[in-house]
């Protein structure tokens, strides 16, 4: 799991020059960033639905669930949203999870129009982290990079080696390495997260059930 310490987050320095370039480029196109409080979310839901449907169509995917956010009006209306507009039109959005006592800030559902400028999500994330820092939040949670922390040595447990193999060669199923590399750009602090289960042959069934929950598929 990747968490960015917001107190020290800044776009200064050589490490973030690509982000600065992306932000400057998008803002030259008159992009604006805004936090929409939850009481105002219902009035923009139709526009958000257009963005979401276009994103799903472009990706040729359907809505998932369980550990991944999906578009549902009453769910989105419970959270504030971060939106990016171009010429007054919403081109990207993410709903916000605001942790107790401002310990942590995160996002769940993230969507953008297929014709939005390149780097639009980088822009949204950076602006959101800067907003979180100004609001006094301690961390921005970027979520997990599945299978990226498993051992691959010959002495590692079998499931570690299988998971590490999938991480290196499973691009057909999921962009494991790309997800890790994307989150690494924000210089996060990584911490391990675990799935507790019985050992042996139970593990494949557990992982299959989790995958079915995420894909919202009946077993």
């Amino acid at each position: 799991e990747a968490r960015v310490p917001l107190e020290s987050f800044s776009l200064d320095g050589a490490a973030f020059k690509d982000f600065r370039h992306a932000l400057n480029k998008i803002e030259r196109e008159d992009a604006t960033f805004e936090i929409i409080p939850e009481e105002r979310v219902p009035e923009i839901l139709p526009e958000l639905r257009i963005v979401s449907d276009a994103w799903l169509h472009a990706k040729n995917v359907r809505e998932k669930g369980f550990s991944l956010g999906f578009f549902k009006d009453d769910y989105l209306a419970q959270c504030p949203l971060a939106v990016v507009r171009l010429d007054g039109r919403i081109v990207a959005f993410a709903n916000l999870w605001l942790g107790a006592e401002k310990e942590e800030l995160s996002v769940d559902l993230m969507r953008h129009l297929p014709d939005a400028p390149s780097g639009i999500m980088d822009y949204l994330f950076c602006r959101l982290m800067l907003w979180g820092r100004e609001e006094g939040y301690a961390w921005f949670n970027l979520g997990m990079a599945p299978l990226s922390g498993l051992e691959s040595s010959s002495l590692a447990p079998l499931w570690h080696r299988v998971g590490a193999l999938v991480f290196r060669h499973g691009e057909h199923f999921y962009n494991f390495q790309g997800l890790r590399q994307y989150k690494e750009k924000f210089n996060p602090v990584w911490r391990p997260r675990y799935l507790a289960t019985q050992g042996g042959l139970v593990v494949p069934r557990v992982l299959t059930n989790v995958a079915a929950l995420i894909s919202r598929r009946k077993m």
Side-chain angles (χ1 to χ4, degrees):
E1 183 180 59
R3 300 170 81 220
V4 178
L6 293 181
E7 185 178 4
S8 59
F9 179 75
S10 170
L11 296 181
D12 297 333
F16 287 96
K17 65 179 181 179
D18 290 341
F19 283 131
R20 289 198 303 275
H21 175 74
L23 263 65
N24 291 335
K25 176 178 178 293
I26 289 173
E27 290 188 339
R28 282 197 298 270
E29 299 183 31
D30 295 326
T32 60
F33 171 83
E34 183 182 1
I35 300 294
I36 307 292
E38 54 264 39
E39 62 268 19
R40 287 181 47 211
V41 169
E43 66 191 56
I44 63 170
L45 280 172
E47 194 171 359
L48 299 179
R49 172 71 73 176
I50 292 172
V51 175
S52 179
D53 288 348
W55 185 90
L56 291 169
H57 180 74
K59 299 290 184 181
N60 193 28
V61 296
R62 64 177 185 175
E63 293 282 12
K64 293 181 169 57
F66 186 57
S67 67
L68 299 175
F70 57 95
F71 198 102
K72 191 175 181 182
D73 289 1
D74 57 356
Y75 165 55
L76 290 177
Q78 296 178 42
C79 312
L81 271 91
V83 302
V84 179
R85 299 179 190 268
L86 278 175
D87 298 323
R89 178 181 65 144
I90 295 176
V91 296
F93 73 89
N95 69 322
L96 308 184
W97 287 357
L98 307 179
E101 299 183 1
K102 297 191 174 182
E103 171 65 15
E104 189 174 84
L105 163 69
S106 190
V107 300
D108 186 27
L109 183 69
M110 299 167 284
R111 300 279 157 89
H112 64 83
L113 287 175
D115 62 350
S118 175
I120 196 71
M121 296 311 291
D122 286 351
Y123 174 79
L124 187 149
F125 273 120
C126 286
R127 284 295 172 209
L128 191 48
M129 289 182 199
L130 292 171
W131 174 84
R133 186 187 68 184
E134 292 172 1
E135 292 293 313
Y137 285 90
W139 297 89
F140 186 91
N141 192 322
L142 284 165
M144 291 187 286
L147 305 181
S148 66
L150 299 179
E151 300 177 40
S152 58
S153 72
S154 60
L155 298 177
L158 173 62
W159 291 113
H160 272 246
R161 284 180 278 147
V162 170
L165 183 67
V166 173
F167 176 75
R168 292 195 305 272
H169 304 290
E171 291 86 356
H172 176 72
F173 305 102
Y174 189 79
N175 188 18
F176 294 103
Q177 295 192 64
L179 185 62
R180 170 80 187 214
Q181 290 166 0
Y182 180 80
K183 295 179 178 183
E184 195 72 66
K185 294 194 302 183
F186 295 92
N187 194 28
V189 176
W190 292 95
R191 65 177 181 177
R193 303 299 256 170
Y194 300 95
L195 172 68
T197 180
Q198 292 176 286
L201 297 178
V202 174
V203 176
R205 177 166 184 148
V206 170
L207 296 177
T208 300
N209 287 340
V210 170
L213 283 169
I214 292 171
S215 64
R216 303 172 82 182
R217 186 176 67 244
K218 294 183 178 180
M219 295 296 293

